[in-house]
Amino acid sequence: MRFDLQVIASWIEPESKVLDLGCRTGSLLAYLTREKQIYGTGIEIDENAAGEAISKGLSVIHGDIYEEIEDYPDNAFDYVILSQALMQVLDPETLIREMLRVGKLGIVSFPNFTHYKNRFQMFFTGRAPMSKELPYEWHNSPNIRVIPIIDFRRFCRAMNVPIVKEVAISTHHHDEKGRVITFLPNLFATFGIFMLGQPE
Amino acid sequence: MSEYIDHDSTGQSIGLVTKHTFTFGESGQGISLDSGRSLGPVKLAYETCGTLNSDKSNAILICHALTGDSHMAGYYSEDDPKPGWWDIMVGPGKPLDTDKYFFICSNVIGGCMGSTGPVSTNPETDKPYGTAFPVVTIGDMVQCQRHLIDHLGIDKLLAVVGGSVGGMQVLEWSVRYPERVRAALPLATTTKHSAQAIAFNEVARQAIMADPKWNKGDYYESGRPEHGLAVARMVGHITYLSDESMRHKFDRRLQDRVELSFDFEADFQVESYLRYQGNKFVDRFDANSFLYLTKAADYFNLENTYGDGSLVAAFSRASCRYLVISFTSDWLYPTYQSKTMVKAMKKNGLNVSFCEIEAPWGHDAFLLPNDRLNGLLTGFLDRVTADCGIGGAQ
């Protein structure tokens, strides 16, 4: 399992209720179900990925996260996870508020745009940066948001959403190994992972 | 449901199967129906395959679609030209695996394949019921299936599976007898017919009733309304396909001719195909049964029956886990109807999975070979089995 998902998994209490938004083929849900006996459910828009997840025996709804999250009652879950999908979210504020309505805690992870390699690329080549974490050209990228870790913190402050926990890591996109970055994370971390609490 | 009964390309089959019957409601008033009328005695034709385990916990009920029957898989005899209607799904090593589970499929009441219906003898007149047969509902069909399950000594079904009108029975089971179902798999179905679906059924019924031979349902001695029934089937058949599948199968190709006839012969392949399907259907089906079964499907309205108009309230009765499946090109029971039921299940905190399968073949897609469908059913049932700690056939 990807290193960022391992970090997220380590934050989840056993036997809790988990909603994984954009769960792909369900590797995190499968891990949490097996190792932590969680009650998990996922939402995935891609039929192949959703079908594969259901075929693994996971509970998954094939559909759009914005529409599907609306149907859950308040506080239906202990954790709502949005892993590496925030870059593609049209209205992050609405989605994060929905996450914190249906879940007690929200967990968000995203590639840190201001990683030093991106900065160097932009500075020295004058071109839009491409990296293993964000491997697209400007014209074919599904990622409509670029998110620096410090900007995400500011965004949470502006929404009055408390950051309960925060870890910055350095790992490549699909790597199973990585390390936690404590020194200048906005410069040296490839991913930021945040646990969000209820708005104040 | 159309005529997709086909041999499995893998050659795997459950082999020979037997049609059984079970009769109940013989004494007193019989069973009481949703209409307030009673019916008795009631006979159900059914088939089983696989082996029931010692604690009877691996039983799966399969519900057939509108004009299907109890013959789900295998063959009645060595020289039987066709297997049961879902032979591609039910058998050893198949998604509905007879090595693991015990399957039951019964013909619905109101049908004409061995269960009590308008063609059965009315004990009060010693003649076929005809239209004296009471109007039955999906709920009545399920009530009768429950009598059969009781008779087989099965306390709780591992799963109830079915597509189309069979899927309606699955939904009905899950809210009518929630304590007796662990998992429900409604495929290509709806909690209530749209006006469009009712409209097509009404045209089909009118075709039967407009045939002079129908004779208000009293035709068992005078000759059957074959033409009306064939037209009814043709109407139904159109709704089971899709624009794309008809274009792929027939387009505007001519049948056995190189130019137009300039009369009312079947010029086009699609006309010829519909006539063939209509005529073939007449050989195996009863016109009055068709009226009763389409009416039962039109009357089905889960939210009104169980939730005072609220689907969320209706599903608050349920406790099983669900796997809901729809198909992209199904215009008889489109995906939005499946999404509506999934939404109501989620609002009740039920454990639900949903997948809309990309398939060009219209409503009939659930009866056709499909690796995606196979994977979903296998994985879902494996998980239900594991979570319930259920042993396989012994």
Side-chain angles (χ1 to χ4, degrees):
Chain A
M1 192 165 63
R2 276 181 358 219
F3 183 68
D4 60 314
L5 297 180
Q6 293 173 36
V7 173
I8 292 173
S10 72
W11 290 357
I12 307 283
E13 292 289 328
E15 294 177 25
S16 51
K17 289 185 171 179
V18 177
L19 175 65
D20 188 359
L21 302 174
C23 66
R24 303 302 299 164
T25 60
S27 55
L28 178 62
L29 281 174
Y31 175 86
L32 291 172
T33 306
R34 195 176 60 242
E35 302 295 327
K36 299 210 169 180
Q37 294 77 47
I38 59 135
Y39 166 88
T41 193
I43 297 172
E44 173 54 47
I45 198 161
D46 179 73
E47 185 208 318
N48 288 324
E52 202 177 309
I54 298 170
S55 301
K56 284 180 190 165
L58 300 166
S59 296
V60 169
I61 310 272
H62 172 211
D64 177 273
I65 56 176
Y66 310 99
E67 285 173 24
E68 299 300 333
I69 198 170
E70 282 177 11
D71 305 332
Y72 292 106
D74 295 356
N75 286 319
F77 298 94
D78 298 305
Y79 306 90
V80 180
I81 300 169
L82 182 71
S83 139
Q84 294 197 28
L86 191 63
M87 315 82 79
Q88 295 163 24
V89 169
L90 197 60
D91 182 355
E93 180 169 350
T94 304
L95 184 64
I96 287 173
R97 290 207 186 282
E98 269 297 276
M99 287 171 67
L100 295 171
R101 177 187 69 78
V102 305
K104 298 184 182 84
L105 293 164
I107 297 175
V108 174
S109 80
F110 52 85
N112 175 34
F113 186 71
T114 47
H115 185 250
Y116 72 94
K117 283 186 182 165
N118 287 351
R119 298 189 193 195
F120 281 170
Q121 253 191 65
M122 198 142 175
F123 186 81
F124 288 112
T125 68
R127 295 176 53 192
M130 270 174 73
S131 63
K132 279 190 181 160
E133 295 77 36
L134 293 163
Y136 300 97
E137 298 262 20
W138 64 270
H139 54 86
N140 64 8
S141 175
N143 304 317
I144 56 170
R145 312 250 166 246
V146 292
I147 317 166
I149 285 174
I150 57 169
D151 279 354
F152 186 74
R153 288 197 204 112
R154 284 157 54 103
F155 169 72
C156 291
R157 258 202 312 280
M159 281 201 301
N160 289 322
V161 166
I163 293 168
V164 179
K165 236 182 231 186
E166 168 185 345
V167 162
I169 59 169
S170 179
T171 170
H172 288 311
H173 186 57
H174 285 294
D175 282 359
E176 295 191 356
K177 291 196 174 113
R179 59 199 170 85
V180 172
I181 304 290
T182 49
F183 179 65
L184 295 178
N186 200 47
L187 191 59
F188 294 115
T190 53
F191 290 94
I193 309 171
F194 290 80
M195 182 188 277
L196 309 176
Q198 288 300 315
E200 285 151 3
Chain B
M1 171 184 102
S2 71
E3 303 285 313
Y4 279 112
I5 304 164
D6 214 346
H7 298 272
D8 191 328
S9 56
T10 65
Q12 286 281 339
S13 171
I14 187 69
L16 290 179
V17 293
T18 312
K19 190 188 259 194
H20 305 281
T21 56
F22 164 57
T23 305
F24 57 99
E26 287 143 309
S27 57
Q29 291 291 303
I31 63 157
S32 91
L33 302 171
D34 286 346
S35 63
R37 291 177 65 182
S38 63
L39 180 68
V42 178
K43 187 170 85 169
L44 288 186
Y46 72 98
E47 184 179 295
T48 66
C49 54
T51 310
L52 194 57
N53 61 11
S54 54
D55 60 357
K56 300 188 175 185
S57 61
N58 68 336
I60 296 179
L61 178 70
I62 296 182
C63 301
H64 70 74
L66 189 70
T67 58
D69 59 21
S70 59
H71 186 26
M72 61 186 147
Y75 299 84
Y76 282 145
S77 63
E78 296 287 352
D79 54 358
D80 203 343
K82 281 196 163 188
W85 59 272
W86 225 14
D87 197 65
I88 57 163
M89 292 303 277
V90 183
K94 294 182 184 179
L96 302 172
D97 192 345
T98 47
D99 291 338
K100 295 182 191 164
Y101 310 113
F102 175 70
F103 295 97
I104 309 148
C105 180
S106 70
N107 184 220
V108 296
I109 56 160
C112 54
M113 305 290 190
S115 295
T116 300
V119 72
S120 309
T121 303
N122 183 347
E124 287 176 13
T125 61
D126 274 336
K127 286 163 72 177
Y129 276 104
T131 47
F133 192 74
V135 167
V136 293
T137 63
I138 300 290
D140 295 329
M141 294 172 184
V142 165
Q143 183 196 168
C144 290
Q145 289 164 352
R146 199 216 73 221
H147 281 278
L148 173 63
I149 300 307
D150 289 346
H151 166 70
L152 295 172
I154 294 160
D155 187 40
K156 195 160 189 170
L157 290 162
L158 179 65
V160 188
V161 190
S164 195
V165 175
M168 294 178 191
Q169 295 160 46
V170 172
L171 294 168
E172 176 81 23
W173 259 100
S174 71
V175 294
R176 191 178 183 112
Y177 303 119
E179 70 289 354
R180 305 202 57 179
V181 182
R182 290 184 201 275
L185 297 87
L187 320 175
T189 193
T190 182
T191 58
K192 61 177 181 187
H193 264 182
S194 63
Q196 178 179 262
I198 296 172
F200 279 117
N201 275 350
E202 176 59 5
V203 172
R205 284 189 293 264
Q206 285 297 330
I208 290 169
M209 294 189 283
D211 188 326
K213 286 186 171 173
W214 179 61
N215 192 29
K216 296 194 169 136
D218 182 12
Y219 54 76
Y220 294 104
E221 284 169 14
S222 55
R224 304 180 304 151
E226 292 181 347
H227 187 64
L229 180 59
V231 174
R233 180 58 168 181
M234 290 163 78
V235 172
H237 212 96
I238 295 166
T239 68
Y240 306 148
L241 304 176
S242 69
D243 178 38
E244 186 178 349
S245 67
M246 286 178 114
R247 194 164 54 242
H248 178 84
K249 262 184 167 163
F250 315 111
D251 199 12
R252 289 180 58 86
R253 288 188 290 276
L254 301 180
Q255 178 75 28
D256 298 334
R257 65 185 75 228
V258 288
E259 51 195 23
L260 302 178
S261 68
F262 293 99
D263 60 22
F264 296 103
E265 290 302 305
D267 287 315
F268 297 102
Q269 280 184 5
V270 66
E271 293 174 294
S272 170
Y273 174 80
L274 287 176
R275 289 184 188 191
Y276 169 74
Q277 290 293 353
N279 291 333
K280 199 167 71 162
F281 186 61
V282 165
D283 293 337
R284 71 176 182 92
F285 218 78
D286 172 59
N288 283 333
S289 251
F290 196 89
L291 299 179
Y292 280 90
L293 298 182
T294 54
K295 204 71 186 175
D298 289 348
Y299 277 176
F300 183 61
N301 188 340
L302 204 69
E303 59 220 66
N304 269 9
T305 308
Y306 294 103
D308 266 336
S310 157
L311 198 55
V312 177
F315 279 111
S316 72
R317 299 167 54 97
S319 55
C320 65
R321 68 172 72 186
Y322 287 93
L323 174 61
V324 178
I325 293 172
S326 70
F327 296 88
T328 47
S329 56
D330 184 349
W331 59 289
L332 187 58
Y333 303 137
T335 291
Y336 79 83
Q337 297 182 336
S338 288
K339 286 202 161 204
T340 304
M341 66 181 94
V342 169
K343 181 181 253 202
M345 291 165 187
K346 282 156 76 185
K347 287 193 169 168
N348 280 294
L350 292 164
N351 185 337
V352 50
S353 288
F354 164 70
C355 189
E356 182 190 26
I357 298 177
E358 170 85 34
W361 312 119
H363 179 61
D364 266 342
F366 80 92
L367 290 167
L368 293 164
N370 185 313
D371 288 342
R372 167 76 70 228
L373 181 61
N374 295 353
L376 294 174
L377 296 189
T378 307
F380 180 79
L381 287 175
D382 281 351
R383 174 51 58 97
V384 173
T385 308
D387 286 0
C388 299
I390 284 165
Q394 288 160 15

